[in-house]
Amino acid sequence: MAPDRPEPAATLIPALATLVAEVAFAYWPEGGLVLNGSVARALLVGPRRDAFLAALPQGRAGVSLRDIPLALMADDAAALHGCRAILRAL
């Protein structure tokens, strides 16, 4: 990476934190949010996880995003497993 260019994660982490905040405040997911995919996994595992949590907005209307569970689905084939289960049930 060139010294004058930031690491891509430095741009993506605040963008993902903003997206998660907007979804959370739009839908108020009491059961939590589940993120899936290689980009989410790359940004939410290891030391970048702390940067993501720090980038989350404080909250709105007295509700903190830290009160909403956030999960990471690490299985890239999870959607296919669900489709297979539905097809077997038919």
Side-chain angles (χ1 to χ4, degrees):
M1 180 76 46
D4 59 334
R5 300 178 88 188
E7 180 186 16
T11 302
L12 292 174
I13 287 172
L16 182 61
T18 300
L19 175 65
V20 166
E22 291 300 318
V23 168
F25 293 128
Y27 295 102
W28 295 101
E30 294 177 6
L33 291 171
V34 178
L35 300 176
N36 187 18
S38 59
V39 172
R41 187 172 49 247
L43 296 179
L44 297 177
V45 174
R48 292 180 178 151
R49 179 181 179 270
D50 293 333
F52 169 79
L53 292 174
L56 284 173
Q58 293 301 315
R60 295 182 194 162
V63 176
S64 171
L65 285 176
R66 303 202 193 294
D67 297 332
I68 298 172
L70 182 63
L72 175 63
M73 187 179 307
D75 184 1
D76 287 334
L80 297 175
H81 296 308
C83 291
R84 182 180 63 191
I86 295 295
L87 290 173
R88 285 185 175 173
L90 294 177

